Amino acid sequence: MFIEPSYQITSKKGWIEVICGSMFSGKTEELIRRLKRARIANLRVEIFKPVTDTRYHKEDIVSHNDNSIKSTPVDSSLKILLMANEVDVVGIDEAQFFDAEIVYVCETLATQGVRVIVAGLDMDYLAKPFGPMPPLMSIAEFVTKVHAICLVCGDHANHSYRIIADKSKILLGEKESYEPRCRKCFTEGMKKRNRV
Ligand code: ZN
C-alpha cells in the first residue's frame, strides 16, 4: 500500500502521484483514501474532475463502493490552475478525459509546492494508452498501478473489456458496458469479436 512521504508539511515541496489501472480496479477508492488522510493531517485539499464524467452526482467523486468525496467539475484542465488557490493537495479523478494541458497543470502545481494526486484509466477499450495518462505517468514521482479481478478466469485484470458493441472511444458506463479482464481473456474476447 502507498504510504505518503511526510515531508510536505515542513518542506513545502510538491510532487505528482499517479494512480492508474483498468475499470473496477479501485483507482478512485485509492484516490479518496489518500485525500482523506491528507485532510486528517489538516492539509487543504481540492478535488477536480472533467465535466464529461456525469455518471454519478455532478459534484461528487463517487467510487464504486459509495465512498465519496466532494469535487469540482471543470471543462478544461487550465481552470484547475485558476481554481486551486491556497491548497496543499490537489486530487484529479478521471484524468484520461482531460486535454493535453493537464500535464502542464500538474507540473506547475507540483513546482509551486502542491502535492498532486492523479487517478485515471491507463488504457482505453482497445488496450491503447489513454489520452494524457502516459506523459503524466512519465513525469510523476510515484506511479501506482492497481488491478481488478478478471471476470473470466479470476486472475489479475488490467484491461477494460467492452461487452457491448460500440466503437466510440468514450463510452461511460458501469457493469452493463465493461468488465475487467486479464491480458489473455481480453485478447481471446477481441479475437472472437473480430471473427463475428
Ligand atoms: Zn482472465
Side-chain angles (χ1 to χ4, degrees), residues 150 152-153 182 185:
C150 176
V152 180
C153 74
C182 70
C185 298

Side-chain angles (χ1 to χ4, degrees), residues 18-23 27 50 52-53 55 93-103 118-138 145 158-162 167-173 178 186:
V18 168
I19 305 162
C20 62
S22 69
M23 297 186 72
K27 297 181 298 297
T52 44
D53 184 38
R55 278 177 294 175
D93 199 21
E94 302 285 0
Q96 76 278 0
F97 293 139
F98 272 113
D99 46 273
E101 275 74 42
I102 190 75
V103 180
V118 185
L121 282 170
D122 46 12
M123 290 191 286
D124 65 15
Y125 79 106
L126 295 171
K128 299 287 178 244
F130 208 144
M133 291 304 287
L136 284 171
M137 289 159 78
S138 303
K145 187 146 176 163
N158 69 327
H159 291 69
S160 306
Y161 183 71
R162 191 177 280 182
K167 292 202 169 152
S168 50
K169 178 152 176 163
I170 298 174
L171 172 69
L172 298 173
Y178 297 95
F186 175 85

Side-chain angles (χ1 to χ4, degrees), residues 78-159:
L78 288 172
K79 289 212 175 128
I80 296 174
L81 280 185
L82 299 174
M83 295 169 85
N85 291 319
E86 307 276 303
V87 292
D88 303 302
V89 182
V90 165
I92 300 169
D93 199 21
E94 302 285 0
Q96 76 278 0
F97 293 139
F98 272 113
D99 46 273
E101 275 74 42
I102 190 75
V103 180
Y104 166 76
V105 169
C106 291
E107 275 190 318
T108 304
L109 288 169
T111 307
Q112 290 170 354
V114 175
R115 175 184 172 198
V116 185
I117 315 173
V118 185
L121 282 170
D122 46 12
M123 290 191 286
D124 65 15
Y125 79 106
L126 295 171
K128 299 287 178 244
F130 208 144
M133 291 304 287
L136 284 171
M137 289 159 78
S138 303
I139 62 165
E141 275 86 348
F142 307 98
V143 177
T144 304
K145 187 146 176 163
V146 286
H147 295 89
I149 296 294
C150 176
L151 284 191
V152 180
C153 74
D155 214 335
H156 285 163
N158 69 327
H159 291 69

